[in-house]
Structures are given as structure tokens and as C-alpha cells.
Amino acid sequence: MIRSMAYLGLNTPAVTEWRTFGSDILGLHAIDDGADGAARFRMDDADCRLWVHPGIHNDIAYIGWSLSDEREALELKAVIEAGGAKLHRADADEAAARRVRGYYWFTDPMGFRHELSWGQYVSPGTFVPGRPMSGFRTGDQGMGHIVLLVPDLRAADLFYREVMGFNASDCIMDGTRELLFYHCNGRHHSLAIGSPAPGMRGAHHLMLEVNSLHDVGIAVDRCVETDVPVSKSIGCHTNDRMVSAYLYSPSVLRIEYGYGGIAIDDLWEPKTYSRTSLWGHKELRPDLPPAMIVGN
Ligand SMILES: [Fe+2]
């Protein structure tokens, strides 16, 4: 059973720009580079949460999920392999590079690499934000949420629920747009999917939640001061009630920088909303690419 989003890896030609964006705009804690020159960032006690690897194209390199232990990972491995995918066990060096005790990895039918990890390394009390800020809301709710663009919404919905075991949170039907949201802990969603065009694969945003609304405003100020595009204005979502702004990262992937998302429990009943936001989230930069599209 997947417990939370543990970590994320990106590929991008813009690693240098990410170093400044990650620490100065987002307030992440930059640590020493990975062996391949990846920029690496912490956001709490975990030794590392975000890898930004050098790459020719912008892409999601891997999504790391946290499970309790290897026994749990093996149970999920069996279910996924029954569905047709082949899982591989990381060797000791590969696991250490991700700062976990171990993981199994596979590529899902949509083309995304997932890593089922356990034993994430932590160093309590050593997180130092890249700029003064209140810190990030993680813990049992994990790193945040990721919104993927999938080639086939119905196939992806079935895979993420029936095979990987995510629970449906709700659905937004906004005009012709359909967005599906999934949880695996008290965070309203750790994963969401949309399918803007058949066959298209990519990602829209990574959400990071901070402990103070002021930090959202300060991040927007820093963007304005340093010419980093704010792609959507501050607003409040209908479903998770997150008050957030969308910041345009150097790899096109937006960072939803938010505060105040609701927590849900086992009694949560999926709902259907007719729009994404109660207020705000106005598109400010229609001139920029609408999402990180990587093809298939
Ligand atoms: Fe979001």
C-alpha cells in the first residue's frame, strides 16, 4: 500500500536555473550535487526530496512513493506484475543514491517511471530553507502532489486505482476538461491526472505546501522581483481548498505553491466539481507553453 509521495526526479536542460529557482524562489534547501550533476533539494527532515537531473528534454524522470517496508512493496509488486508490468529491484548503490533503504521500479502504461520505496533516510533538525520561510507541510502527507497528463484518461484512471491502489478523491468537470484526483493519506490528493489531448504525455505541476500563507505571497514577490513568470495568480481550489499560486519553473513544469489544503479521512466521499477554483488562479501568462509536454 502506497503511504505517501516520497520524492520526485526531473530531467531538464535547465539545471543551473533550477538551482536559483529552487532555493531563492521556493525556499528549498539545496545540498551537494548528485553524481551526474543533478541539483538536489531537501524540504524537511528527509535527506532529499527533489532531484533535478541534467537532460536533453524536460521530463518526469521518476516518481518515488513511500511504503512501510519491503514486504509491503512486494505485495504491491505482485499486484502490478499481475497487471502486466515488470518490476525491478534497485541495487544497494541505486537505493542509497535515492536516500532510501530500497525500492522497486517500473514504467507504467502511460510512460511514467514509478519507484516503490521504503526506509527513506532522515536527518532530523537539519533542514535549512533557501530563504527565510516557515517550512513545508510534509510528514504523513508526503512531499506534495503531482499532476500528470496522460494519453488515455480512462486507462490511466483504472491503472492508478485498480493496480496501484490509489483512492479516488474527486473529479472536476470544467467545460470539456476532466481532472481526476487520488489520495493515499490525509492529503486530499497526492496524484491527479488530466488528458488534454489523446496520446499526449506530460505533467502540469508539482504542488508543494508551505506552513504559512505569507510564504505564498513572498514567493510571488520574489518571482516579480527576479522576472520569474507567475503563470496563475493566487487563488483557492474548489476541491482541496488550497490557497496557491502557480510559479513557472525553468523546466516548464509549474510549481503550485500553496497553503491551507484540507485534510481528509477514511470517511471521505468523492465529489464532482464544476470548476477548478473558487476564486483567483487567473491565467497570467497565456504566451508560455501550457504544460510540460514530453510526447509518448
Ligand atoms: Fe494542484
Side-chain angles (χ1 to χ4, degrees), residues 105-185:
W105 67 270
F106 70 101
T107 302
D108 75 20
M110 282 59 69
F112 296 102
R113 171 171 165 141
H114 300 268
E115 298 182 355
L116 309 178
S117 75
W118 62 94
Q120 189 169 33
Y121 295 178
V122 294
S123 301
T126 58
F127 169 70
V128 181
R131 61 171 169 78
M133 51 93 70
S134 63
F136 294 89
R137 184 179 183 191
T138 56
D140 292 346
Q141 294 195 359
M143 176 179 183
H145 69 237
I146 183 84
V147 179
L148 302 176
L149 305 179
V150 296
D152 180 330
L153 194 71
R154 297 274 84 82
D157 177 47
L158 273 178
F159 186 84
Y160 293 135
R161 281 189 299 107
E162 302 293 330
V163 180
M164 289 188 73
F166 286 99
N167 301 298
S169 299
D170 44 40
C171 168
I172 297 179
M173 303 293 292
D174 186 3
T176 57
R177 200 163 43 146
E178 181 175 358
L179 297 166
L180 304 176
F181 299 80
Y182 308 93
H183 63 274
C184 54
N185 54 50

Side-chain angles (χ1 to χ4, degrees), residues 145 147 181 189 192 204-207 237 240 242 244 246 256:
H145 69 237
V147 179
F181 299 80
H189 57 283
H204 184 265
H205 67 266
L206 164 71
M207 192 287 300
H237 280 303
D240 66 358
M242 192 77 73
S244 56
Y246 286 71
E256 181 184 5

Side-chain angles (χ1 to χ4, degrees), residues 23-105:
S23 42
D24 185 49
I25 303 291
L26 303 181
L28 297 169
H29 176 177
I31 56 174
D32 57 317
D33 287 356
D36 64 347
R40 304 193 305 154
F41 298 99
R42 300 182 60 190
M43 53 188 295
D44 59 6
D45 285 349
D47 275 17
C48 192
R49 290 276 196 187
L50 178 63
W51 280 256
V52 182
H53 296 279
I56 297 170
H57 305 292
N58 291 311
D59 199 354
I60 301 288
Y62 45 84
I63 307 168
W65 302 104
S66 181
L67 292 86
S68 292
D69 50 30
E70 183 164 13
R71 180 192 55 78
E72 223 177 58
L74 282 168
E75 287 174 5
L76 184 54
K77 173 178 181 286
V79 174
I80 295 170
E81 290 195 328
K86 174 70 181 159
L87 277 77
H88 312 270
R89 193 184 197 284
D91 66 27
D93 289 343
E94 290 167 331
R98 296 282 196 270
R99 314 309 293 154
V100 296
R101 287 189 64 188
Y103 68 88
Y104 290 90
W105 67 270

